[in-house]
Amino acid sequence: MTFKALAIDIDGTITNMDRRLSLKATEKLRELDVPVVLATGNILCYAKATAKLIGVCCNVIAENGGVVTDRFDKKPYISDVITECEQAFDILSREFDMEKLDSVHRRTEIVLRRDFDLERARALLNTTDLDVEIIDTHFAIHIKSKKINKGTGLVRIADMMGLKPSDFVAIGDSVNDMELLALAGYSVAVSNADDFLKDIADHVTRESYGEGTAEVIDYLVSKGMLNTRQ
Ligand SMILES: O=C(O)COP(=O)(O)O
Ligand SMILES: [Mg+2]
């Protein structure tokens, strides 16, 4: 089967843990003859700039599915879910010393530095009736609505692109990629991925980070599952 598009995570999948972009992975992405959607927990301007600089502009799922756009200068779709996240933050920050990241630009989630006791914070959140969860991507901790994720983002961007989620190959590394990989037609976890992501993936790479992404793109092209430009 030949897939019609690729949805790919940024941090840990085309970067290493220092967030250095793999030039090998970006070259492979640029050579593909299908649209590449960046699907990330990062804010929209970070994702758009990454897409532009890689040369795969501009289908973007940002903020773990909360913000979605298919064009650079278009008003993005923004989920109306920030209020519950702010309520959760108000409750948690009375108990924990928490530092917000990117809060000026973030529209649908609250993201925190990874320097507090996550399990205790989760336990406290579970005593509320907020429809909110806390996830740790290894890069940051996100207080996010349970109503949105990269899977709901994929459904939305696929619709904007006239495609189905099953038309996509998806590649990722972390807990925030679970729903994306579950909905895609073919799913890949890079070898540095969390074990629970590897368990649901159709394919796990041998190499880590961007090298793993480059490796699987070569594999998918060799099997005719993705096409490159001639
Ligand atoms: O925002 C994060 O915590 C990680 O970003 P990612 O989804 O691109 O890996
Ligand atoms: Mg990631």
Side-chain angles (χ1 to χ4, degrees), residues 9-13 19 39-43 46 64 106 109 111 137-142 150 173-174 176-177:
D9 171 57
I10 298 179
D11 291 335
T13 301
R19 282 203 158 119
T40 181
N42 286 282
I43 49 177
Y46 178 103
N64 288 314
R106 225 166 248 283
E109 306 180 298
V111 170
T137 65
H138 306 296
F139 288 88
I141 291 175
H142 298 242
K150 291 187 191 180
D173 76 310
S174 176
N176 64 340
D177 299 310

PDB file of all heavy atoms in Angstrom, residues 9-13 19 39-43 46 64 106 109 111 137-142 150 173-174 176-177, ligand 1:
ATOM      1  N   ASP A   9       6.194  13.759  14.461  1.00  0.00           N
ATOM      2  CA  ASP A   9       6.498  14.487  15.685  1.00  0.00           C
ATOM      3  C   ASP A   9       7.823  15.255  15.505  1.00  0.00           C
ATOM      4  O   ASP A   9       8.629  14.908  14.640  1.00  0.00           O
ATOM      5  CB  ASP A   9       6.621  13.427  16.795  1.00  0.00           C
ATOM      6  CG  ASP A   9       7.140  13.986  18.071  1.00  0.00           C
ATOM      7  OD1 ASP A   9       6.531  14.925  18.588  1.00  0.00           O
ATOM      8  OD2 ASP A   9       8.176  13.488  18.559  1.00  0.00           O
ATOM      9  N   ILE A  10       8.038  16.252  16.333  1.00  0.00           N
ATOM     10  CA  ILE A  10       9.305  17.016  16.242  1.00  0.00           C
ATOM     11  C   ILE A  10      10.299  16.538  17.303  1.00  0.00           C
ATOM     12  O   ILE A  10      11.258  15.826  16.989  1.00  0.00           O
ATOM     13  CB  ILE A  10       9.057  18.542  16.357  1.00  0.00           C
ATOM     14  CG1 ILE A  10       8.170  19.033  15.199  1.00  0.00           C
ATOM     15  CG2 ILE A  10      10.401  19.282  16.338  1.00  0.00           C
ATOM     16  CD1 ILE A  10       7.860  20.539  15.240  1.00  0.00           C
ATOM     17  N   ASP A  11      10.050  16.906  18.574  1.00  0.00           N
ATOM     18  CA  ASP A  11      11.071  16.648  19.604  1.00  0.00           C
ATOM     19  C   ASP A  11      11.237  15.153  19.870  1.00  0.00           C
ATOM     20  O   ASP A  11      10.272  14.452  20.179  1.00  0.00           O
ATOM     21  CB  ASP A  11      10.687  17.350  20.907  1.00  0.00           C
ATOM     22  CG  ASP A  11      10.778  18.861  20.794  1.00  0.00           C
ATOM     23  OD1 ASP A  11      11.546  19.346  19.949  1.00  0.00           O
ATOM     24  OD2 ASP A  11      10.080  19.554  21.550  1.00  0.00           O
ATOM     25  N   GLY A  12      12.454  14.692  19.782  1.00  0.00           N
ATOM     26  CA  GLY A  12      12.753  13.280  20.031  1.00  0.00           C
ATOM     27  C   GLY A  12      12.591  12.400  18.801  1.00  0.00           C
ATOM     28  O   GLY A  12      12.961  11.223  18.826  1.00  0.00           O
ATOM     29  N   THR A  13      12.025  12.973  17.721  1.00  0.00           N
ATOM     30  CA  THR A  13      11.784  12.180  16.509  1.00  0.00           C
ATOM     31  C   THR A  13      12.589  12.714  15.320  1.00  0.00           C
ATOM     32  O   THR A  13      13.148  11.938  14.542  1.00  0.00           O
ATOM     33  CB  THR A  13      10.268  12.168  16.182  1.00  0.00           C
ATOM     34  OG1 THR A  13       9.574  11.606  17.311  1.00  0.00           O
ATOM     35  CG2 THR A  13       9.962  11.342  14.943  1.00  0.00           C
ATOM     36  N   ARG A  19      17.332  18.971  21.467  1.00  0.00           N
ATOM     37  CA  ARG A  19      16.512  19.669  20.464  1.00  0.00           C
ATOM     38  C   ARG A  19      17.322  20.101  19.257  1.00  0.00           C
ATOM     39  O   ARG A  19      16.980  21.064  18.566  1.00  0.00           O
ATOM     40  CB  ARG A  19      15.821  20.880  21.074  1.00  0.00           C
ATOM     41  CG  ARG A  19      14.606  20.498  21.909  1.00  0.00           C
ATOM     42  CD  ARG A  19      13.682  21.666  22.007  1.00  0.00           C
ATOM     43  NE  ARG A  19      12.330  21.287  22.330  1.00  0.00           N
ATOM     44  CZ  ARG A  19      11.698  21.687  23.431  1.00  0.00           C
ATOM     45  NH1 ARG A  19      12.302  22.432  24.313  1.00  0.00           N
ATOM     46  NH2 ARG A  19      10.451  21.337  23.624  1.00  0.00           N
ATOM     47  N   ALA A  39       3.509  17.317  13.671  1.00  0.00           N
ATOM     48  CA  ALA A  39       2.525  17.132  14.752  1.00  0.00           C
ATOM     49  C   ALA A  39       3.282  17.194  16.061  1.00  0.00           C
ATOM     50  O   ALA A  39       4.056  16.291  16.391  1.00  0.00           O
ATOM     51  CB  ALA A  39       1.831  15.785  14.602  1.00  0.00           C
ATOM     52  N   THR A  40       3.044  18.266  16.834  1.00  0.00           N
ATOM     53  CA  THR A  40       3.911  18.539  17.976  1.00  0.00           C
ATOM     54  C   THR A  40       3.148  19.069  19.188  1.00  0.00           C
ATOM     55  O   THR A  40       2.048  19.595  19.047  1.00  0.00           O
ATOM     56  CB  THR A  40       5.004  19.565  17.541  1.00  0.00           C
ATOM     57  OG1 THR A  40       5.871  19.820  18.639  1.00  0.00           O
ATOM     58  CG2 THR A  40       4.392  20.882  17.095  1.00  0.00           C
ATOM     59  N   GLY A  41       3.786  18.929  20.338  1.00  0.00           N
ATOM     60  CA  GLY A  41       3.257  19.549  21.550  1.00  0.00           C
ATOM     61  C   GLY A  41       3.693  21.000  21.671  1.00  0.00           C
ATOM     62  O   GLY A  41       3.228  21.724  22.548  1.00  0.00           O
ATOM     63  N   ASN A  42       4.555  21.434  20.791  1.00  0.00           N
ATOM     64  CA  ASN A  42       5.058  22.806  20.835  1.00  0.00           C
ATOM     65  C   ASN A  42       4.016  23.802  20.310  1.00  0.00           C
ATOM     66  O   ASN A  42       3.040  23.427  19.670  1.00  0.00           O
ATOM     67  CB  ASN A  42       6.333  22.911  19.985  1.00  0.00           C
ATOM     68  CG  ASN A  42       7.515  22.257  20.667  1.00  0.00           C
ATOM     69  OD1 ASN A  42       8.097  22.830  21.574  1.00  0.00           O
ATOM     70  ND2 ASN A  42       7.844  21.048  20.261  1.00  0.00           N
ATOM     71  N   ILE A  43       4.297  25.079  20.563  1.00  0.00           N
ATOM     72  CA  ILE A  43       3.389  26.145  20.113  1.00  0.00           C
ATOM     73  C   ILE A  43       3.440  26.300  18.596  1.00  0.00           C
ATOM     74  O   ILE A  43       4.385  25.868  17.935  1.00  0.00           O
ATOM     75  CB  ILE A  43       3.755  27.486  20.786  1.00  0.00           C
ATOM     76  CG1 ILE A  43       5.256  27.770  20.663  1.00  0.00           C
ATOM     77  CG2 ILE A  43       3.299  27.491  22.227  1.00  0.00           C
ATOM     78  CD1 ILE A  43       5.697  29.090  21.239  1.00  0.00           C
ATOM     79  N   TYR A  46       6.529  27.927  16.739  1.00  0.00           N
ATOM     80  CA  TYR A  46       7.692  27.016  16.732  1.00  0.00           C
ATOM     81  C   TYR A  46       7.516  25.976  15.621  1.00  0.00           C
ATOM     82  O   TYR A  46       8.432  25.710  14.838  1.00  0.00           O
ATOM     83  CB  TYR A  46       7.763  26.341  18.100  1.00  0.00           C
ATOM     84  CG  TYR A  46       8.857  25.323  18.335  1.00  0.00           C
ATOM     85  CD1 TYR A  46       9.990  25.645  19.065  1.00  0.00           C
ATOM     86  CD2 TYR A  46       8.735  24.006  17.872  1.00  0.00           C
ATOM     87  CE1 TYR A  46      10.974  24.703  19.328  1.00  0.00           C
ATOM     88  CE2 TYR A  46       9.709  23.064  18.124  1.00  0.00           C
ATOM     89  CZ  TYR A  46      10.831  23.415  18.854  1.00  0.00           C
ATOM     90  OH  TYR A  46      11.797  22.473  19.110  1.00  0.00           O
ATOM     91  N   ASN A  64      -0.299  19.716  20.833  1.00  0.00           N
ATOM     92  CA  ASN A  64      -0.919  18.388  21.013  1.00  0.00           C
ATOM     93  C   ASN A  64      -2.337  18.308  20.450  1.00  0.00           C
ATOM     94  O   ASN A  64      -3.213  17.679  21.052  1.00  0.00           O
ATOM     95  CB  ASN A  64      -0.918  17.997  22.497  1.00  0.00           C
ATOM     96  CG  ASN A  64       0.468  17.668  22.973  1.00  0.00           C
ATOM     97  OD1 ASN A  64       1.192  16.949  22.299  1.00  0.00           O
ATOM     98  ND2 ASN A  64       0.857  18.198  24.124  1.00  0.00           N
ATOM     99  N   ARG A 106       0.990  30.218  24.134  1.00  0.00           N
ATOM    100  CA  ARG A 106       0.204  28.978  24.210  1.00  0.00           C
ATOM    101  C   ARG A 106      -1.285  29.283  24.336  1.00  0.00           C
ATOM    102  O   ARG A 106      -1.680  30.107  25.143  1.00  0.00           O
ATOM    103  CB  ARG A 106       0.706  28.124  25.387  1.00  0.00           C
ATOM    104  CG  ARG A 106       0.848  26.698  25.003  1.00  0.00           C
ATOM    105  CD  ARG A 106       1.636  25.929  26.027  1.00  0.00           C
ATOM    106  NE  ARG A 106       2.912  25.513  25.499  1.00  0.00           N
ATOM    107  CZ  ARG A 106       3.078  24.508  24.675  1.00  0.00           C
ATOM    108  NH1 ARG A 106       2.059  23.790  24.270  1.00  0.00           N
ATOM    109  NH2 ARG A 106       4.270  24.199  24.239  1.00  0.00           N
ATOM    110  N   GLU A 109      -3.165  24.830  26.110  1.00  0.00           N
ATOM    111  CA  GLU A 109      -2.600  23.963  27.162  1.00  0.00           C
ATOM    112  C   GLU A 109      -1.747  24.826  28.082  1.00  0.00           C
ATOM    113  O   GLU A 109      -1.380  25.937  27.720  1.00  0.00           O
ATOM    114  CB  GLU A 109      -1.586  22.962  26.608  1.00  0.00           C
ATOM    115  CG  GLU A 109      -1.934  22.073  25.517  1.00  0.00           C
ATOM    116  CD  GLU A 109      -0.698  21.232  25.223  1.00  0.00           C
ATOM    117  OE1 GLU A 109       0.354  21.795  24.841  1.00  0.00           O
ATOM    118  OE2 GLU A 109      -0.770  20.023  25.394  1.00  0.00           O
ATOM    119  N   VAL A 111       2.029  24.445  29.828  1.00  0.00           N
ATOM    120  CA  VAL A 111       3.217  23.599  29.787  1.00  0.00           C
ATOM    121  C   VAL A 111       4.196  24.055  30.856  1.00  0.00           C
ATOM    122  O   VAL A 111       4.376  25.242  31.092  1.00  0.00           O
ATOM    123  CB  VAL A 111       3.827  23.606  28.372  1.00  0.00           C
ATOM    124  CG1 VAL A 111       5.180  22.936  28.349  1.00  0.00           C
ATOM    125  CG2 VAL A 111       2.885  22.873  27.431  1.00  0.00           C
ATOM    126  N   THR A 137       6.313  14.429  28.278  1.00  0.00           N
ATOM    127  CA  THR A 137       6.884  14.007  26.981  1.00  0.00           C
ATOM    128  C   THR A 137       8.400  13.772  27.051  1.00  0.00           C
ATOM    129  O   THR A 137       9.027  13.499  26.052  1.00  0.00           O
ATOM    130  CB  THR A 137       6.634  15.088  25.915  1.00  0.00           C
ATOM    131  OG1 THR A 137       7.363  16.272  26.299  1.00  0.00           O
ATOM    132  CG2 THR A 137       5.154  15.399  25.757  1.00  0.00           C
ATOM    133  N   HIS A 138       8.980  13.948  28.220  1.00  0.00           N
ATOM    134  CA  HIS A 138      10.436  13.967  28.473  1.00  0.00           C
ATOM    135  C   HIS A 138      11.055  15.319  28.122  1.00  0.00           C
ATOM    136  O   HIS A 138      12.198  15.588  28.464  1.00  0.00           O
ATOM    137  CB  HIS A 138      11.202  12.857  27.739  1.00  0.00           C
ATOM    138  CG  HIS A 138      10.649  11.497  28.025  1.00  0.00           C
ATOM    139  ND1 HIS A 138      10.670  10.939  29.272  1.00  0.00           N
ATOM    140  CD2 HIS A 138      10.039  10.595  27.213  1.00  0.00           C
ATOM    141  CE1 HIS A 138      10.100   9.739  29.230  1.00  0.00           C
ATOM    142  NE2 HIS A 138       9.698   9.512  27.992  1.00  0.00           N
ATOM    143  N   PHE A 139      10.300  16.150  27.407  1.00  0.00           N
ATOM    144  CA  PHE A 139      10.791  17.498  27.100  1.00  0.00           C
ATOM    145  C   PHE A 139      10.099  18.526  28.005  1.00  0.00           C
ATOM    146  O   PHE A 139      10.700  19.528  28.367  1.00  0.00           O
ATOM    147  CB  PHE A 139      10.540  17.843  25.625  1.00  0.00           C
ATOM    148  CG  PHE A 139      11.449  17.097  24.697  1.00  0.00           C
ATOM    149  CD1 PHE A 139      11.107  15.841  24.221  1.00  0.00           C
ATOM    150  CD2 PHE A 139      12.673  17.627  24.330  1.00  0.00           C
ATOM    151  CE1 PHE A 139      11.960  15.128  23.391  1.00  0.00           C
ATOM    152  CE2 PHE A 139      13.536  16.935  23.490  1.00  0.00           C
ATOM    153  CZ  PHE A 139      13.174  15.681  23.026  1.00  0.00           C
ATOM    154  N   ALA A 140       8.832  18.254  28.323  1.00  0.00           N
ATOM    155  CA  ALA A 140       8.067  19.173  29.162  1.00  0.00           C
ATOM    156  C   ALA A 140       6.866  18.427  29.723  1.00  0.00           C
ATOM    157  O   ALA A 140       6.509  17.350  29.231  1.00  0.00           O
ATOM    158  CB  ALA A 140       7.596  20.376  28.347  1.00  0.00           C
ATOM    159  N   ILE A 141       6.264  19.025  30.739  1.00  0.00           N
ATOM    160  CA  ILE A 141       5.020  18.469  31.290  1.00  0.00           C
ATOM    161  C   ILE A 141       3.858  19.341  30.799  1.00  0.00           C
ATOM    162  O   ILE A 141       3.935  20.569  30.849  1.00  0.00           O
ATOM    163  CB  ILE A 141       5.091  18.417  32.828  1.00  0.00           C
ATOM    164  CG1 ILE A 141       6.115  17.346  33.242  1.00  0.00           C
ATOM    165  CG2 ILE A 141       3.713  18.132  33.422  1.00  0.00           C
ATOM    166  CD1 ILE A 141       6.383  17.264  34.716  1.00  0.00           C
ATOM    167  N   HIS A 142       2.842  18.663  30.288  1.00  0.00           N
ATOM    168  CA  HIS A 142       1.690  19.385  29.731  1.00  0.00           C
ATOM    169  C   HIS A 142       0.452  19.150  30.595  1.00  0.00           C
ATOM    170  O   HIS A 142       0.117  17.995  30.885  1.00  0.00           O
ATOM    171  CB  HIS A 142       1.360  18.875  28.326  1.00  0.00           C
ATOM    172  CG  HIS A 142       2.453  19.071  27.324  1.00  0.00           C
ATOM    173  ND1 HIS A 142       2.301  19.862  26.205  1.00  0.00           N
ATOM    174  CD2 HIS A 142       3.713  18.580  27.265  1.00  0.00           C
ATOM    175  CE1 HIS A 142       3.424  19.846  25.498  1.00  0.00           C
ATOM    176  NE2 HIS A 142       4.298  19.071  26.128  1.00  0.00           N
ATOM    177  N   LYS A 150      -3.011  14.608  19.619  1.00  0.00           N
ATOM    178  CA  LYS A 150      -2.538  14.658  18.219  1.00  0.00           C
ATOM    179  C   LYS A 150      -3.433  13.826  17.298  1.00  0.00           C
ATOM    180  O   LYS A 150      -3.441  14.041  16.095  1.00  0.00           O
ATOM    181  CB  LYS A 150      -1.089  14.189  18.126  1.00  0.00           C
ATOM    182  CG  LYS A 150      -0.081  15.143  18.757  1.00  0.00           C
ATOM    183  CD  LYS A 150       1.348  14.693  18.465  1.00  0.00           C
ATOM    184  CE  LYS A 150       2.367  15.458  19.290  1.00  0.00           C
ATOM    185  NZ  LYS A 150       3.753  15.017  19.013  1.00  0.00           N
ATOM    186  N   ASP A 173       7.685   9.496  19.216  1.00  0.00           N
ATOM    187  CA  ASP A 173       8.595   8.977  20.251  1.00  0.00           C
ATOM    188  C   ASP A 173       7.995   8.916  21.652  1.00  0.00           C
ATOM    189  O   ASP A 173       8.627   8.365  22.551  1.00  0.00           O
ATOM    190  CB  ASP A 173       9.858   9.855  20.344  1.00  0.00           C
ATOM    191  CG  ASP A 173       9.596  11.166  21.059  1.00  0.00           C
ATOM    192  OD1 ASP A 173       8.620  11.853  20.687  1.00  0.00           O
ATOM    193  OD2 ASP A 173      10.329  11.498  21.996  1.00  0.00           O
ATOM    194  N   SER A 174       6.802   9.501  21.852  1.00  0.00           N
ATOM    195  CA  SER A 174       6.441   9.744  23.251  1.00  0.00           C
ATOM    196  C   SER A 174       4.939   9.593  23.497  1.00  0.00           C
ATOM    197  O   SER A 174       4.164   9.369  22.573  1.00  0.00           O
ATOM    198  CB  SER A 174       6.939  11.155  23.596  1.00  0.00           C
ATOM    199  OG  SER A 174       6.562  11.512  24.871  1.00  0.00           O
ATOM    200  N   ASN A 176       2.647  11.639  23.980  1.00  0.00           N
ATOM    201  CA  ASN A 176       1.715  12.512  23.245  1.00  0.00           C
ATOM    202  C   ASN A 176       1.568  12.104  21.776  1.00  0.00           C
ATOM    203  O   ASN A 176       0.845  12.757  21.037  1.00  0.00           O
ATOM    204  CB  ASN A 176       2.129  13.995  23.369  1.00  0.00           C
ATOM    205  CG  ASN A 176       3.468  14.311  22.747  1.00  0.00           C
ATOM    206  OD1 ASN A 176       4.294  13.417  22.540  1.00  0.00           O
ATOM    207  ND2 ASN A 176       3.704  15.566  22.451  1.00  0.00           N
ATOM    208  N   ASP A 177       2.227  11.012  21.385  1.00  0.00           N
ATOM    209  CA  ASP A 177       2.060  10.493  20.015  1.00  0.00           C
ATOM    210  C   ASP A 177       1.140   9.273  19.961  1.00  0.00           C
ATOM    211  O   ASP A 177       0.889   8.739  18.875  1.00  0.00           O
ATOM    212  CB  ASP A 177       3.426  10.132  19.414  1.00  0.00           C
ATOM    213  CG  ASP A 177       4.332  11.335  19.338  1.00  0.00           C
ATOM    214  OD1 ASP A 177       3.876  12.370  18.824  1.00  0.00           O
ATOM    215  OD2 ASP A 177       5.490  11.254  19.805  1.00  0.00           O
TER     216      ASP A 177
HETATM  217  O1  LIG B   1       6.083  19.676  23.444  1.00  0.00           O
HETATM  218  C1  LIG B   1       6.679  18.693  23.914  1.00  0.00           C
HETATM  219  O2  LIG B   1       6.715  18.458  25.140  1.00  0.00           O
HETATM  220  C2  LIG B   1       7.349  17.719  22.998  1.00  0.00           C
HETATM  221  O3  LIG B   1       7.185  18.124  21.661  1.00  0.00           O
HETATM  222  P1  LIG B   1       6.928  17.047  20.511  1.00  0.00           P
HETATM  223  O4  LIG B   1       5.475  16.720  20.528  1.00  0.00           O
HETATM  224  O5  LIG B   1       7.375  17.735  19.254  1.00  0.00           O
HETATM  225  O6  LIG B   1       7.793  15.862  20.829  1.00  0.00           O
END
